[in-house]
Amino acid sequence: MREAGTLDILGEIHALVSDKLQVVSYKWLSRNFSVSSNDAKRILQEFVEQNGNGLEIVYCLSGFLKESSPVYRIQFVSGVKLAEAKKQFEDNCSLQVYSVQACVPKDPAAIWNAEFVQAEELFDQPSTLDNCLRDNRFCGVSNSFVKRNVNGPSLGVAPPLSKNAAGITISPKVSNAPQTPAIPQQKAKVQQSSLKSRQSPTVTAPVVKTESNATDSNAQARSNVGKVTAVPANKKKVNEKSSSGTSGSLANMWGRASVKLKPACAPETNKDVQNPIGNLVTAEAQICAHEAMDTLISDDDNEDAQCVSHKRTSNGEGKRKRQVVFDSSDEDDFEDAVNLASPDPPKKNSSPISEINTKTLLVEKKNLNFESPAEDQTEIKQEKTTERESKLPPKEDEVVVSLDKTNGKSVKTLDPKDEALVINKATDDVSNSTKRKRVCKTRIDDRGREVTEVVWEGEETENKNTDKKDTVTETANNRPTGAKKSPAFASKAPSNPVGKAGAKKAGKGGVKDGKQGNIMSFFKKV
Amino acid sequence: MGTEAMEVDAATNLERKQATYRSMDERFEIKNEMYRGQQYSEIYFIRLHSIRNLLNTLAQKWKPHLPICTVLGLEKGKECILIGTLYKHMKLKPCILDEYSKERSAVPIVKPHNFMHSDDQLILEDESGRVKLSGTVISPSFFVTGTVVALHGNETNAGDFLVQDILEAGLPPQIELPLESSEDKYVVFVSGLSVGSGASNPLQFQLLVDHITGHLGDDKEQVVASKIVRVVIAGNSVEISPGLLNGQTLAAKDQSRLYGPIKELDIMLTQLAAAVPVDIMPGPSDPANFALPQQPLHRCLFPGASVYNTFMSCTNPHLFEIDNLRFLGTSGQNIDDLDKYSEAKDGLEFMERTLRWRHVAPTAPNTLGCYPFSDRDPFLIESCPNVYFVGNQKKYDTHISRGSEGQFVRLISIPKFSESGVAVVLNVRNLECHKLSFSTQLQF
């Protein structure tokens, strides 16, 4: 039986080589006729013995060379030169027929073509299909530890969490093991963090939609809160998105997004307890769950839309998230990178919201202690608002109102006109030398940096850290804050007006303890 | 396998050897880093601080009678020890303004050129100040900006510091290895595959893959192949024509030229990953970020290979352990940069210097792109590796470096596979290395 089968194959080889002038390599043979590569080599050997005349044969000689320093060489040899070549090798070298062809192509690489075309075909088959390329079934050496996991996005989660790009668990000393269960958790975090604004028109994308609703107007603050807790995932995603492709959070976002969202919401928001906006947490959870339910249905349908929307929103999301990340966890370093200039410049921005931001913050400024750490909430809101502003003109009014509401205090009563006035007033207050003086103090801090402090009379302290070695950069105005908002990613820079610098600083001490708007007001409004 | 195959192959059904693996790349990942607009002074400060602590203890054993001073605390004529970061002032070092003023060409490849000059001067700097170094003991061609050393000398009337002796941190401590296994297990290192470039020979790469996976050769060879426990690809796996990357939208017909090389690489990696664990590191020409530490190549580039649990996309530099042996390696940027700004007889000597300076990339961030870390310097070598490899070098070379406390390091310089057809095989049992050379030239 075997003989007959082999004879068939031999016949076919002959046809291929002589008539179709194809290069038949052992690998090609093995895949084509579903035989192991060792068998394929034997078949080729037989073929060569039987019909080798008139055909070119390429042998592969491998073994250690007869040299002082050990070199393992794998060499192609044509039939003619075989004996000569063997002399260079140690005695126990191995020889096999690599391929047979009608004539040897000038470029040896052409020998590889047929094989590669075959490999490519196998490779292009749907990934759920197991074929000889993928499971290496015809190989003489088998490896039972190799596992191929085709469950798409879930594998993509691995890199951020664990060392493994493709799911090898790193419990130390273990080389191959199934994926960690930490992955779903990370995904959940990612889902939570992937809440975005509604600006994406592809409503079907669950992630986007969920986010959009969640971050809508009043809820914005709370969604920020939610995001704050997912900071590590956020940061990761932010960096990933912005940097030239590092890990699979993209897959995370739209793969299992909606499915995990609901359960994720609850645990995520529960962690927000530490934030001052406690009462909003549950509201956020409500919104989350609400949206998740809405979007679950549409989840399965439009993966493509997901992709697209994901891509589109990812920019915005990345921007926003980055801001959140900054503000929430970098509190004590915040002062370091604030610009030296007085908080005036921000007002130049045309966006009314940013004006309101600054205005609000400036108004608050007098009441603020700039050193206090937990000001990030206001800031987050401010920036989120501003951020969204640049994308959602129609929503401006809502945001304005909500901002007022959430900030409470004197802001409430202001409308845009008044706000402008207030801004100017505040500006004057700040920069007016009659009211306060700027005094420079220089000292060396414990990290070896020269710190120049600009102290306003009893009101404000801004620091400028100078690199002692290199030229002092004029980072004062733009770079630290601009950079803080959009680190190293120029594309994001435009969306972060410098004005944030002052606004941020002032806003820091802002409304953390201020009276927060009631979430129900949002619902009533709508 | 078919029943026919079973009869014959039952005898030779080899099972690949396994080895424990632990990746320690977290230190090189920047996903948790937050950029606050900080400058590079922070990473320099940490570097100085960390190595100075080491040098303080070492200096006391080295010359206990001498006091350790700060730069500002120098007094004329008083012999003391200074510890600080070296800065080399180089006349020929390219200036960013010069680069911008030149016309931008389509090929952004900087010709590697050595920027040394006989007028180069070394300056030592610490938090308090800097001082010019003089004397023949310290040679500017040996050092680069960013190394932290201890110097014994005194201040001269001219205001500079005359160096009498130099103390480097030396090889870091190494964890003792119990030499347990008597099994031969091999790790294959390859770099510079440059799939998609004109110079690369896909047949050679295929032969490499076939050999490692165990398709190629007879039983003897397959037994050898079955002992290969890991493949480490040290950078420059793909090369995309720079003309396609000039920022303009590609026509549909050109797009295949863009993903073609990557797909080809993925197909090869799939074949590898289906058989043996693979670590792939990014290199200067790979689609990864520019600054060190380069982040792992994104999994979406390898839809075929990344679904395997044996496929690991790693950072550059890459730190890992196999069977408790510590491996540290880069794709070559650190050594190539040293080569531009200092002199040594070969790449291995540069590698050894980086070990003695306890820093993988001392020229970062001065002339080598680097992330501005603010709380740590991940390139500091705290524990001496057992194997230290560098990819994309001009030729294969290897050497054993020994430390004063019995440290034992196998240094490996991995050549570019596309140019040389050479990969490197390391035996984990005895840290011996040999060349794995491929040739498809039939005109023998």
Side-chain angles (χ1 to χ4, degrees):
Chain A
M1 195 53 200
R2 185 170 185 272
E3 307 307 324
T6 318
L7 277 174
D8 286 340
I9 298 179
L10 291 179
E12 284 202 46
I13 300 174
H14 195 90
L16 285 164
V17 177
S18 311
D19 302 335
K20 295 197 196 149
L21 299 180
Q22 186 191 316
V23 173
V24 175
S25 66
Y26 79 98
K27 199 75 165 307
W28 185 91
L29 201 68
S30 126
R31 287 184 188 144
N32 197 288
F33 294 104
S34 299
V35 293
S36 76
S37 19
N38 289 337
D39 274 353
K41 289 174 227 167
R42 270 186 287 269
I43 292 171
L44 268 187
Q45 183 67 35
E46 271 188 53
F47 177 82
V48 166
E49 283 159 13
Q50 288 180 20
N51 340 27
N53 301 327
L55 294 174
E56 297 272 354
I57 304 152
V58 173
Y59 293 93
C60 184
L61 203 55
S62 38
F64 278 99
L65 290 181
K66 288 178 182 163
E67 274 183 25
S68 50
S69 61
V71 179
Y72 193 93
R73 189 165 186 100
I74 294 172
Q75 170 107 35
F76 268 7
V77 194
S78 63
V80 180
K81 306 238 168 79
L82 189 55
E84 199 182 319
K86 266 193 181 171
K87 289 185 205 156
Q88 290 223 334
F89 285 78
E90 301 260 348
D91 295 333
N92 57 348
C93 61
S94 99
L95 174 70
Q96 66 162 89
V97 178
Y98 188 85
S99 69
V100 288
Q101 50 271 310
C103 62
V104 174
K106 267 216 186 80
D107 178 12
I111 296 173
W112 168 77
N113 280 342
E115 199 180 298
F116 183 70
V117 165
Q118 187 191 48
E120 201 170 356
E121 274 168 32
L122 289 167
F123 183 80
D124 286 338
Q125 286 177 354
S127 68
T128 44
L129 198 64
D130 238 357
N131 57 35
C132 60
L133 180 79
R134 290 181 179 145
D135 61 11
N136 205 32
R137 60 184 73 153
F138 296 133
C139 187
V141 179
S142 62
N143 188 347
S144 52
F145 284 94
V146 177
K147 282 183 189 22
R148 185 167 175 269
N149 185 348
V150 207
N151 296 331
S154 59
L155 277 181
V157 184
L161 249 201
S162 63
K163 286 290 98 282
N164 311 302
I168 299 181
T169 307
I170 286 306
S171 46
K173 318 274 194 251
V174 175
S175 56
N176 297 323
Q179 271 182 318
T180 57
I183 289 165
Q185 177 202 340
Q186 202 267 352
K187 256 196 280 196
K189 270 192 169 178
V190 172
Q191 309 320 323
Q192 178 68 9
S193 65
S194 61
L195 299 179
K196 286 199 213 169
S197 81
R198 193 192 278 163
Q199 47 257 41
S200 168
T202 59
V203 179
T204 51
V207 171
V208 175
K209 190 176 177 197
T210 308
E211 271 205 311
S212 66
N213 293 332
T215 58
D216 212 12
S217 52
N218 280 352
Q220 191 182 11
R222 285 144 285 188
S223 68
N224 291 337
V225 167
K227 281 177 211 164
V228 168
T229 58
V231 158
N234 282 350
K235 263 194 284 192
K236 244 176 302 191
K237 282 168 42 82
V238 162
N239 285 334
E240 287 157 2
K241 258 193 290 277
S242 313
S243 64
S244 52
T246 46
S247 78
S249 64
L250 295 174
N252 304 343
M253 289 176 54
W254 41 271
R256 299 271 191 257
S258 62
V259 175
K260 298 277 180 182
L261 193 53
K262 203 168 167 187
C265 273
E268 288 298 311
T269 51
N270 284 339
K271 290 179 208 154
D272 299 344
V273 177
Q274 66 220 359
N275 283 313
I277 317 180
N279 61 334
L280 301 174
V281 169
T282 46
E284 154 106 308
Q286 274 181 14
I287 297 172
C288 270
H290 193 64
E291 302 313 324
M293 280 187 346
D294 286 346
T295 58
L296 262 176
I297 301 162
S298 53
D299 171 43
D300 302 317
D301 299 339
N302 300 303
E303 285 194 358
D304 290 5
Q306 274 182 346
C307 299
V308 173
S309 67
H310 156 73
K311 233 196 164 93
R312 233 175 300 146
T313 50
S314 67
N315 282 338
E317 175 192 12
K319 265 182 280 198
R320 206 169 311 109
K321 273 214 204 62
R322 201 179 307 110
Q323 295 173 2
V324 175
V325 164
F326 277 139
D327 305 329
S328 63
S329 50
D330 197 19
E331 293 137 7
D332 52 342
D333 288 334
F334 224 47
E335 289 120 29
D336 295 352
V338 173
N339 65 4
L340 182 59
S342 62
D344 306 338
K347 271 54 127 248
K348 305 288 186 289
N349 285 323
S350 52
S351 162
I353 287 305
S354 49
E355 281 188 43
I356 294 163
N357 280 344
T358 14
K359 165 265 315 170
T360 307
L361 297 166
L362 285 173
V363 166
E364 308 281 359
K365 200 165 52 120
K366 289 177 190 130
N367 310 317
L368 302 182
N369 173 9
F370 289 93
E371 313 296 270
S372 70
E375 303 114 352
D376 44 340
Q377 285 312 317
T378 312
E379 239 165 296
I380 294 167
K381 272 180 289 192
Q382 310 295 358
E383 277 122 21
K384 286 301 169 204
T385 319
T386 311
E387 199 53 43
R388 292 202 60 227
E389 270 323 299
S390 53
K391 290 186 187 176
L392 286 183
K395 297 250 185 302
E396 253 178 51
D397 299 334
E398 279 182 290
V399 179
V400 171
V401 175
S402 69
L403 187 58
D404 290 350
K405 279 198 151 55
T406 50
N407 287 334
K409 287 198 183 168
S410 52
V411 185
K412 237 185 194 159
T413 55
L414 296 170
D415 61 62
K417 273 172 281 182
D418 293 346
E419 284 152 5
L421 289 175
V422 174
I423 291 168
N424 295 333
K425 181 167 177 293
T427 312
D428 291 341
D429 283 348
V430 169
S431 59
N432 196 336
S433 54
T434 59
K435 294 237 169 167
R436 60 189 97 187
K437 257 203 237 169
R438 245 202 284 193
V439 178
C440 285
K441 289 185 196 162
T442 311
R443 59 179 171 88
I444 307 251
D445 77 355
D446 56 2
R447 289 200 36 127
R449 295 171 295 193
E450 188 181 297
V451 175
T452 305
E453 286 179 341
V454 175
V455 183
W456 295 86
E457 277 178 1
E459 291 285 341
E460 203 173 320
T461 300
E462 290 168 294
N463 295 331
K464 174 178 171 182
N465 291 330
T466 327
D467 184 341
K468 63 178 165 67
K469 270 188 203 181
D470 305 337
T471 55
V472 171
T473 59
E474 297 307 314
T475 62
N477 294 336
N478 294 336
R479 259 230 279 149
T481 49
K484 234 202 304 193
K485 302 311 281 177
S486 54
F489 309 122
S491 59
K492 309 286 189 240
S495 66
N496 296 313
V498 176
K500 289 223 174 73
K504 214 177 4 193
K505 191 82 170 100
K508 245 176 108 164
V511 199
K512 74 171 154 76
D513 293 319
K515 184 168 179 275
Q516 300 295 331
N518 191 348
I519 182 148
M520 294 316 296
S521 62
F522 163 69
F523 289 112
K524 278 184 204 143
K525 247 195 163 359
V526 175
Chain B
M1 296 192 181
T3 42
E4 307 148 351
M6 284 286 279
E7 295 159 14
V8 187
D9 278 2
T12 57
N13 201 3
L14 294 166
E15 181 72 21
R16 188 172 292 273
K17 293 235 157 75
Q18 301 295 324
T20 59
Y21 174 81
R22 183 163 84 104
S23 166
M24 290 177 289
D25 279 346
E26 305 93 2
R27 58 186 301 141
F28 298 119
E29 294 191 355
I30 58 174
K31 57 177 186 274
N32 291 326
E33 294 294 324
M34 196 156 57
Y35 183 61
R36 299 170 285 105
Q38 71 268 23
Q39 299 187 34
Y40 288 122
S41 60
E42 310 205 13
I43 192 175
Y44 275 122
F45 178 81
I46 295 158
R47 191 185 299 180
L48 174 60
H49 209 65
S50 312
I51 303 184
R52 184 168 54 190
N53 285 342
L54 296 164
L55 286 173
N56 270 329
T57 0
L58 290 173
Q60 277 160 19
K61 288 183 223 150
W62 178 52
K63 299 196 177 185
H65 55 283
L66 291 174
I68 300 176
C69 283
T70 60
V71 167
L72 282 188
L74 278 180
E75 293 165 22
K76 284 208 200 326
K78 180 176 111 174
E79 267 188 45
C80 60
I81 296 177
L82 273 188
I83 302 179
T85 315
L86 284 174
Y87 172 75
K88 184 152 84 165
H89 182 77
M90 300 178 80
K91 214 160 90 163
L92 297 179
K93 181 175 140 188
C95 169
I96 189 72
L97 297 175
D98 294 341
E99 287 187 24
Y100 269 111
S101 67
K102 283 188 211 147
E103 198 180 3
R104 303 225 295 182
S105 66
V107 177
I109 299 166
V110 176
K111 306 261 177 288
H113 172 66
N114 191 289
F115 299 109
M116 289 174 47
H117 192 274
S118 50
D119 286 344
D120 292 342
Q121 285 183 342
L122 282 174
I123 293 161
L124 189 80
E125 188 170 321
D126 66 9
E127 301 102 319
S128 61
R130 34 160 65 182
V131 65
K132 212 162 73 150
L133 300 177
S134 63
T136 51
V137 175
I138 192 156
S139 161
S141 63
F142 185 91
F143 289 98
V144 285
T145 301
T147 44
V148 179
V149 290
L151 301 173
H152 160 214
N154 60 287
E155 190 186 351
T156 62
N157 290 330
D160 48 15
F161 189 77
L162 181 65
V163 179
Q164 292 169 25
D165 205 353
I166 309 167
L167 173 69
E168 294 166 334
L171 254 56
Q174 191 174 60
I175 299 171
E176 274 288 331
L177 275 190
L179 283 176
E180 11 124 332
S181 68
S182 53
E183 264 191 329
D184 279 340
K185 288 186 193 173
Y186 298 101
V187 176
V188 174
F189 294 94
V190 66
S191 76
L193 293 165
S194 298
V195 174
S197 79
S200 78
N201 183 345
L203 183 56
Q204 251 179 11
F205 187 14
Q206 184 68 62
L207 279 183
L208 174 71
V209 169
D210 284 351
H211 169 73
I212 294 174
T213 53
H215 279 286
L216 202 66
D218 62 3
D219 299 344
K220 290 184 296 243
E221 186 162 344
Q222 290 179 7
V223 164
V224 167
S226 71
K227 295 181 183 169
I228 297 174
V229 293
R230 196 148 207 111
V231 178
V232 179
I233 302 176
N236 284 357
S237 315
V238 81
E239 192 170 304
I240 299 179
S241 158
L244 296 173
L245 301 172
N246 55 7
Q248 294 179 358
T249 325
L250 279 182
K253 60 178 167 65
D254 282 337
Q255 284 181 8
S256 61
R257 285 171 62 205
L258 195 61
Y259 64 73
I262 299 180
K263 182 170 176 186
E264 190 182 315
L265 177 65
D266 193 17
I267 294 177
M268 304 304 248
L269 287 177
T270 304
Q271 295 174 45
L272 267 183
V276 65
V278 180
D279 280 5
I280 180 163
M281 295 163 57
S285 77
D286 285 324
N289 60 312
F290 167 76
L292 289 187
Q294 280 185 297
Q295 298 303 288
L297 291 166
H298 200 287
R299 305 177 72 257
C300 72
L301 291 170
F302 309 112
S306 57
V307 291
Y308 289 90
N309 64 343
T310 43
F311 179 81
M312 291 272 308
S313 184
C314 311
T315 56
N316 168 33
H318 183 30
L319 181 64
F320 60 101
E321 272 181 11
I322 291 181
D323 277 354
N324 295 324
L325 271 184
R326 188 174 265 236
F327 290 68
L328 172 65
T330 68
S331 300
Q333 292 105 320
N334 57 335
I335 301 302
D336 292 343
D337 207 55
L338 279 177
D339 200 10
K340 286 190 217 167
Y341 298 98
S342 65
E343 204 170 49
K345 73 175 195 301
D346 56 20
L348 290 180
E349 197 176 316
F350 284 125
M351 287 169 72
E352 192 156 345
R353 285 185 198 168
T354 61
L355 280 182
R356 292 193 192 284
W357 293 334
R358 299 214 193 175
H359 198 278
V360 173
T363 53
N366 186 39
T367 47
L368 189 56
C370 165
Y371 183 86
F373 291 98
S374 57
D375 54 353
R376 63 197 173 93
D377 185 344
F379 305 109
L380 288 169
I381 307 173
E382 281 128 17
S383 168
C384 193
N386 298 98
V387 178
Y388 183 33
F389 62 92
V390 171
N392 298 297
Q393 298 301 291
K394 299 182 201 94
K395 62 182 174 78
Y396 163 70
D397 208 350
T398 182
H399 178 63
I400 300 243
S401 181
R402 290 177 207 277
S404 56
E405 290 154 25
Q407 298 100 328
F408 181 98
V409 191
R410 163 67 69 185
L411 303 176
I412 305 176
S413 156
I414 309 168
K416 294 190 181 136
F417 189 78
S418 58
E419 289 174 4
S420 62
V422 170
V424 183
V425 181
L426 172 85
N427 187 342
V428 162
R429 176 177 65 88
N430 53 16
L431 290 188
E432 273 175 18
C433 234
H434 65 261
K435 213 155 98 166
L436 182 60
S437 157
F438 294 85
S439 169
T440 54
Q441 285 305 106
L442 288 167
Q443 276 64 35
F444 182 67

